[in-house]
């Protein structure tokens, strides 16, 4: 190897190593850098909160200049799993109080507060090809029903609903979270999906809702709590509990606890 | 050894070993975090057996289709001088780099109930593919076939043209030449391509969950089983992951000395 070749190689190797270390260090940095100029608040929230929490975060950012709210939406059980494994988060908002059970005790920095509730509804494609008119049609022959997988809150709620109704319908697929369930209906691949009332409202024209009688329906409570010592975490929870935050939730179809 | 050459050697060795550690450590972590004293109980969890059985079935069907379609395709790509062949080769390799979930969306748009072909399939024959085991096989074929075609094409390309010419002068037609001369001579390439394609089919997740959904015993393959059980029964997820890790290591280990060079 020529000298210049060796030098180039060495330089490349050093650069590569430097790049690797910096990028790894950047990945490892906590999301809440309260001491820095711009401050970031990381919120992990249940998939059913996707649209309404984007509005709440926008309200919060407007009132707290220089603060950026970073949000990630997924199944509540996934969120708890991620936080237990060390995912950086300041606030978690979950569907279903039992979702909190697996949360590590040292992460419960604040008492969980139930900030809203939700109920189930049947989602059907706008043209309702299978003619679903109510829960009695869930056991009709040949319909394709999708629900959340039993490990996530909307799946547990769906199972409770079937118990209330005394039915065990054929399920085509157990989807990873409520929005995945909804999208199978929206695409027309499923004839009916069991989702939250608020998901049907958020879906717009592609999806129609079929009510579930209150006597059979399942009410899910949504807890929110701080999992970091960031002062912004409590401020964000206050925003959720405020009149404005509760109005946002009500507009999306959630019901005050 | 001079100090200078030692530094220069370190400049290569250090990143190389960091690279090795980066890949191997997470695999070791699976071994460390597994609940070994009760591994038998975790392996007996329904999700483990059920999803492995489904994976065995779907990947076997996938390989039958991949061999049937992929081998002639590789031969045509290897021997064709047509200018469009290069484009054909590029297109067939797209799934190698395409995010699997995009493949799933594409399959849904094609074969879904409102898909380009799926709507017609349903109205004409009453066949719907999403949420079926057939959909799992289709997703696996989509992601695995390119691995097979590329490996086998490479082997066939290295084959001396004189063999097919001699076969032709002896009176063999193209199909007979292909069957009795070409395929036997590239068997090592076929074995390597098959192993890679099979391993890819076994690991397929994104296209499957998008196109086929997740139903135990019907569409929930081993990777989907890992994902679904991670939240309820993490130790079952780890046990299932260990089985898949073992299978992957065995497949690549078997190929290591003989065919993957």
């Amino acid at each position: 190897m020529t000298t210049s070749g060796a030098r180039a190689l060495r330089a490349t190797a050093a650069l590569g190593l430097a790049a690797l270390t910096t990028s790894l260090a950047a990945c490892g940095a906590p999301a809440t850098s309260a001491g820095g100029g711009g401050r970031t608040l990381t919120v992990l929230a249940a998939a059913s909160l996707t649209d309404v929490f984007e509005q709440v975060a926008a309200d919060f950012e407007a009132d707290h200049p220089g603060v950026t709210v970073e949000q990630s939406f997924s199944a509540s059980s996934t969120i708890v799993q991620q936080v237990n494994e060390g995912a950086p988060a300041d606030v978690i908002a979950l569907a279903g109080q039992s979702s909190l059970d697996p949360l590590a005790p040292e992460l419960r920095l604040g008492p969980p507060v139930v900030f809203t509730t939700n109920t189930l509804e049947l989602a059907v494609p706008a043209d309702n090809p299978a003619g679903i008119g109510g829960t009695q049609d869930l056991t009709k022959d040949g319909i394709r029903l999708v629900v959340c997988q039993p490990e996530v809150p909307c799946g547990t709620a769906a199972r409770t609903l079937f118990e209330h109704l005394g039915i065990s319908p054929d399920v085509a697929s157990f989807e990873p979270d409520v929005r995945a369930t909804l999208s199978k209906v929206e695409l027309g691949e499923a004839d009916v999906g069991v989702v939250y009332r608020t998901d049907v409202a958020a879906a717009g024209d592609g999806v129609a809702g079929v009510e579930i009688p209150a006597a059979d329906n399942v009410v899910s409570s949504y807890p929110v709590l701080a999992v970091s010592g960031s002062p912004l975490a409590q401020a964000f929870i206050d925003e959720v509990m405020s009149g404005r935050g509760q109005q946002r939730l009500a507009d999306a179809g959630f019901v005050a606890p | 050894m001079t100090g200078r050459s030692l530094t220069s050697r370190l400049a290569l060795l250090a990143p190389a070993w960091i690279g090795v550690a980066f890949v191997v450590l997470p695999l070791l972590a699976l071994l460390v975090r597994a609940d070994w004293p009760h591994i038998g109980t975790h392996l007996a969890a329904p999700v483990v057996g059920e999803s492995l059985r489904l994976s065995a079935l779907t990947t076997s069907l996938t390989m039958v289709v991949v061999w049937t379609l992929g081998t002639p395709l590789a031969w045509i790509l290897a021997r064709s001088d047509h200018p469009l062949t290069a484009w054909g080769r590029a297109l067939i390799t797209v799934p190698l780099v395409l995010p699997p979930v995009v493949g799933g969306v594409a399959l849904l748009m094609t074969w879904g109930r409102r898909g380009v072909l799926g709507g017609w399939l349903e109205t004409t024959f009453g066949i719907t593919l999403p949420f079926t085991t057939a959909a799992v096989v289709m997703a696996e074929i989509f992601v695995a076939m390119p691995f097979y075609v590329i490996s086998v094409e490479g082997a066939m390309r290295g084959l001396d043209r004189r063999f097919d010419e001699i076969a032709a002068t002896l009176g063999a037609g193209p199909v007979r030449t292909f069957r009795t001369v070409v395929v036997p001579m590239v068997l090592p390439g076929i074995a390597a391509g098959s192993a890679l394609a099979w391993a890819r089919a076994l690991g397929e997740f994104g296209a499957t969950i998008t196109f086929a959904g997740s139903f135990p015993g019907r569409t929930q393959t081993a990777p989907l089983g890992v994902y679904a059980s991670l939240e309820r029964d993490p130790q079952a997820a780890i046990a299932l992951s260990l089985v898949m890790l073992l299978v992957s290591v065995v497949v690549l280990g078997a190929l290591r000395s003989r065919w993957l060079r």
Side-chain angles (χ1 to χ4, degrees):
Chain A
M1 191 186 286
T2 64
T3 320
S4 71
R7 196 179 300 142
L9 204 58
R10 201 157 54 215
T12 319
L15 264 180
L17 197 61
L20 185 71
T21 351
T22 356
S23 56
L24 286 182
C27 295
T32 319
S33 43
R39 293 176 302 163
T40 305
L41 179 77
T42 306
V43 178
L44 305 184
S48 46
L49 293 165
T50 305
D51 310 85
V52 67
F53 260 43
E54 275 164 7
Q55 296 168 356
V56 172
D59 292 340
F60 185 75
E61 283 174 350
D63 280 1
H64 296 78
V67 172
T68 310
V69 180
E70 282 186 344
Q71 302 199 90
S72 168
F73 301 96
S74 46
S76 297
S77 44
T78 307
I79 293 170
V80 170
Q81 180 89 10
Q82 287 169 341
V83 173
N84 279 343
E85 295 290 335
D90 299 304
V91 174
I92 59 174
L94 308 174
Q97 277 188 289
S98 56
S99 311
L100 277 175
D101 296 346
L103 184 67
E106 68 271 19
L107 292 169
R108 296 166 188 260
L109 292 179
V113 182
V114 173
F115 65 96
T116 201
T117 68
N118 211 347
T119 51
L120 295 176
E121 191 167 318
L122 304 180
V124 296
D127 54 352
N128 196 359
I132 303 290
T135 49
Q136 73 280 359
D137 294 329
L138 289 175
T139 44
K140 263 207 314 204
D141 273 351
I143 64 152
R144 260 164 296 259
L145 164 69
V146 286
V147 299
C148 299
Q149 61 183 31
E151 290 79 7
V152 306
C154 56
T156 318
R159 198 159 53 179
T160 311
L161 170 71
F162 297 156
E163 279 167 18
H164 289 180
L165 294 166
I167 57 171
S168 46
D170 287 334
V171 173
S173 177
F174 294 101
E175 296 289 315
D177 67 36
V178 70
R179 290 301 165 104
T181 307
L182 184 70
S183 78
K184 289 289 199 294
V185 174
E186 221 166 350
L187 289 168
E189 298 303 338
D191 298 314
V192 54
V194 179
V195 297
Y196 293 116
R197 210 165 81 85
T198 52
D199 296 304
V200 177
D205 295 341
V207 170
V210 176
E211 296 274 340
I212 297 170
D216 304 319
N217 213 326
V218 181
V219 178
S220 303
S221 300
Y222 282 58
V224 63
L225 81 156
V227 289
S228 85
S230 163
L232 285 172
Q234 190 52 50
F236 185 83
I237 293 171
D238 292 343
E239 173 67 39
V240 172
M241 300 303 289
S242 72
R244 181 171 59 177
Q246 291 293 310
Q247 188 57 49
R248 292 284 193 200
L249 285 158
D251 290 345
F254 288 91
V255 177
Chain B
M1 193 185 287
T2 67
R4 197 189 152 99
S5 79
L6 183 70
T7 329
S8 143
R9 186 179 279 233
L10 265 181
L12 290 174
L13 277 180
W17 278 107
I18 293 172
V20 170
F22 190 77
V23 172
V24 174
L25 276 180
L27 304 180
L28 292 177
L30 267 183
L31 300 176
V32 172
R33 290 284 296 267
D35 177 20
W36 290 106
H38 306 105
I39 193 75
T41 325
H42 301 308
L43 284 172
V47 64
V48 176
E50 209 165 28
S51 66
L52 282 175
R53 253 194 307 279
L54 183 69
S55 274
L57 171 73
T58 55
T59 55
S60 305
L61 291 172
T62 295
M63 287 319 297
V64 170
V65 176
V66 164
W67 284 323
T68 315
L69 305 180
T71 318
L73 174 58
W75 179 236
I76 287 167
L77 288 178
R79 277 297 182 259
S80 165
D81 299 322
H82 198 278
L84 284 179
T85 308
W87 284 103
R89 187 183 299 113
L91 276 178
I92 188 79
T93 48
V94 165
L96 286 180
V97 293
L98 193 72
V101 63
V102 177
V105 173
L107 285 167
L108 209 48
M109 295 305 122
T110 314
W111 301 107
R113 296 167 83 187
R114 299 188 177 171
V116 177
L117 297 174
W120 168 79
L121 262 187
E122 185 170 36
T123 48
T124 317
F125 303 103
I127 298 173
T128 38
L129 289 165
F131 309 131
T132 62
T133 307
V136 177
V137 175
M138 290 167 77
E140 289 180 353
I141 295 169
F142 184 82
V143 298
M145 184 135 75
F147 282 88
Y148 178 81
V149 171
I150 291 305
S151 309
V152 176
E153 193 216 339
M156 286 175 168
R157 208 179 258 283
L159 209 59
D160 198 322
R161 270 178 195 262
R162 277 176 297 182
F163 289 119
D164 15 322
E165 282 158 14
I166 291 166
T169 58
L170 292 175
V175 172
R176 186 156 177 216
T177 308
F178 176 74
R179 199 163 42 83
T180 58
V181 178
V182 176
V183 170
M185 290 186 80
V186 296
L187 272 182
I190 287 181
S194 302
L196 286 176
W198 181 76
R200 179 65 189 88
L202 182 69
E204 167 35 48
F205 176 85
T208 309
I209 201 157
T210 313
F211 180 48
S214 177
F215 186 92
R218 190 166 66 221
T219 59
Q220 194 177 84
T221 56
L224 272 65
V226 171
Y227 185 73
S229 56
L230 191 58
E231 285 153 15
R232 180 185 42 185
D233 187 359
Q235 281 301 331
I238 293 176
L240 189 49
S241 300
L242 285 175
V243 174
M244 299 194 71
L245 176 64
L246 179 73
V247 169
S248 309
V249 169
V250 167
V251 167
L252 292 176
L255 289 175
R256 170 190 51 96
S257 50
R258 270 180 283 179
W259 299 310
L260 281 187
R261 271 178 290 186

